[in-house]
Amino acid sequence: MQEKLWNSNYIKVWIANFLMYFAFMLLTPLLPLYLRDTFGADKQMIGLVLSGYAVAALCIRPFSGYFVDSFPRKMMLLIFYGLTALFFGGYLAAGSLTLFAIVRMLHGAPFGATGVSLSTVAIDVLPSSRRAEGIGYYGLSNNIATAISPGVAMFLFGRFHSYPMLFWLAFATALLGVLISYTIYPRVRELELNKQPVSLDRFLMVRGWAPFITILTMATAYSVVSTYVAIYGQERLGITTGTGMFFTLFAIGLILSRLTGSRSLAKGLIIRNASLGLIVSISGFVLFAASPTIWAYYLAPFVIGLGNGHVWPAFQMIFINMAPHSQRGTANSTLLTAWDLGMGLGMFAGGAIAEHFGYFPAFWTGVLLYAGGVLFYFTYVRNYYNKYKLHD
């Protein structure tokens, strides 16, 4: 008989991750509008302010992987998640653009560390025989939050026109996630602190540099689109209430591909899933950048979601399979560091390009960079993984 996949600890980690991303995505589509309407920020300034969290997350991710591998993982999870919740409350106290930028940047550090902690604890509480399948389903927590949260945000804002109310809701949601995390009981493991010298490979998985590049380019393309999709929809297509649907369709694509892809991962078809996902994903980005129409505005996110839903769990397994079991946290943090770096580049560079040259040059910059990452994957990364993987 197969070991039980949906055990109580796994369900709690799944819900805690859902709540964190629900809180985060509740604010994501509205923050560019909030900065424009409240502080009069232009596109370049919006990109600079919003990229602050990615910079902080990028700085903390490698260290969070080391902490998660070296100290009790539940303790680290509660510390990082608690700080993440507190910074959601910090948006309420930020009365100027400068203060908001500071809070946004500082928020990225615990948010990035919490993501590493949750994904590593999820791996710990999964039965080893069903780990690949469980990782695929674990990602559904992000995806469902992404599907629901922006729509909820746009509905509530359309009804009450209150940014503080949404900040309070995000704060309360994150606090609930902390409480649920407290009830998780991962298996006790022997700590590795001081058993091996501290080196670069304890903070970043050096041998993961090749898949790192592909994920970075995917994140950059996604960042440019997701950050400016609300303002672009308003200014170029006359869409005033459809941003929530954009993210919902993206998440539906993610969910569908996760459901089908998890079974393929369970059969060991990691490279096939990654290859298929990259082809579908880049097609969606090309569609969005090439066609300034409403139908492309809504079809493209669904196609991107279908692709990304295959890419992410496959690449997570690539990183995990290239790392010793004692460095699962480092493997996860390296993957997420690649994503953070790409998100920060997309927000900052995308804002500067959009301000001076327009939206479509910004979108195409992300697409062309991602196309380079996809080409690099097919010509190098696949063979590199098969050469350096430690286990299947």
Side-chain angles (χ1 to χ4, degrees):
M1 294 180 62
Q2 280 190 316
E3 295 178 274
K4 185 178 181 180
L5 174 62
W6 292 93
N7 60 68
S8 61
N9 280 317
Y10 179 62
I11 292 172
K12 291 172 184 176
V13 177
W14 196 100
I15 294 173
N17 194 55
F18 167 84
L19 291 172
M20 185 180 73
Y21 277 92
F22 183 93
F24 184 77
M25 291 303 299
L26 195 71
L27 304 182
T28 295
L30 287 171
L31 284 182
L33 302 177
Y34 174 73
L35 294 175
R36 183 192 66 183
D37 297 342
T38 305
F39 303 117
D42 60 22
K43 300 180 189 70
Q44 186 169 357
M45 181 56 66
I46 290 171
L48 180 62
V49 172
L50 296 184
S51 65
Y53 102 90
V55 172
L58 174 65
C59 293
I60 197 64
R61 292 281 201 196
F63 299 100
S64 59
Y66 175 75
F67 287 132
V68 167
D69 283 337
S70 302
F71 297 96
R73 284 174 179 161
K74 180 177 177 179
M75 180 183 75
M76 292 291 97
L77 171 59
L78 292 176
I79 291 172
F80 294 143
Y81 208 152
L83 291 172
T84 297
L86 288 177
F87 275 105
F88 275 114
Y91 293 124
L92 291 160
S96 68
L97 183 61
T98 300
L99 285 176
F100 188 95
I102 292 172
V103 171
R104 180 67 174 174
M105 181 180 67
L106 294 177
H107 195 188
F111 180 83
T114 304
V116 173
S117 299
L118 282 168
S119 59
T120 307
V121 170
I123 294 170
D124 281 348
V125 301
L126 281 166
S128 58
S129 63
R130 306 192 70 180
R131 184 167 293 136
E133 183 183 6
I135 287 173
Y137 287 126
Y138 174 75
L140 285 173
S141 57
N142 306 13
N143 305 152
I144 295 174
T146 302
I148 297 172
S149 192
V152 171
M154 299 304 291
F155 170 78
L156 292 176
F157 185 74
R159 186 176 180 87
F160 299 104
H161 299 284
S162 173
Y163 289 111
M165 181 186 69
L166 292 169
F167 292 144
W168 276 112
L169 180 58
F171 178 51
T173 301
L175 282 179
L176 179 59
V178 176
L179 294 176
I180 291 175
S181 297
Y182 184 76
T183 68
I184 298 170
Y185 296 97
R187 289 187 295 271
V188 178
R189 63 191 180 86
E190 183 180 357
L191 298 180
E192 300 259 336
L193 187 63
N194 295 329
K195 289 192 174 182
Q196 53 184 295
V198 175
S199 62
L200 177 61
D201 203 47
R202 297 294 289 142
F203 300 102
L204 281 174
M205 196 177 78
V206 177
R207 69 168 57 199
W209 70 269
F212 184 102
I213 291 174
T214 298
I215 290 296
L216 182 149
T217 61
M218 183 175 81
T220 302
Y222 177 74
S223 176
V224 175
V225 171
S226 63
T227 300
Y228 299 100
V229 66
I231 296 179
Y232 162 71
Q234 281 189 2
E235 296 183 358
R236 296 297 298 270
L237 301 177
I239 299 172
T240 57
T241 60
T243 303
M245 182 57 67
F246 177 95
F247 286 98
T248 299
L249 290 169
F250 170 73
I252 290 173
L254 284 171
I255 292 167
L256 290 175
S257 59
R258 289 273 192 174
L259 290 172
T260 58
S262 292
R263 296 187 178 184
S264 298
L265 288 177
K267 297 176 182 177
L269 303 177
I270 296 172
I271 293 299
R272 193 191 77 169
N273 271 28
S275 301
L276 174 63
L278 288 169
I279 292 171
V280 174
S281 176
I282 190 66
S283 300
F285 282 109
V286 169
L287 174 63
F288 187 86
S291 181
T293 60
I294 291 178
W295 70 268
Y297 183 90
Y298 289 122
L299 178 59
F302 177 74
V303 176
I304 294 169
L306 284 175
N308 286 15
H310 281 299
V311 172
W312 186 263
F315 269 78
Q316 188 169 13
M317 288 305 303
I318 286 173
F319 276 90
I320 290 171
N321 287 345
M322 292 174 68
H325 290 310
S326 62
Q327 294 186 21
R328 289 173 182 165
T330 303
N332 278 316
S333 68
T334 303
L335 170 64
L336 292 167
T337 297
W339 184 262
D340 292 335
L341 181 58
M343 289 293 290
L345 287 172
M347 291 177 192
F348 181 75
I353 295 171
E355 180 68 24
H356 293 96
F357 303 103
Y359 292 110
F360 286 102
F363 295 151
W364 275 113
T365 299
V367 169
L368 292 175
L369 184 62
Y370 186 21
V374 173
L375 180 63
F376 179 64
Y377 167 81
F378 281 104
T379 57
Y380 186 81
V381 177
R382 289 187 301 177
N383 294 330
Y384 180 86
Y385 167 68
N386 288 323
K387 180 179 179 181
Y388 288 102
K389 65 181 178 179
L390 299 179
H391 31 255
D392 293 315

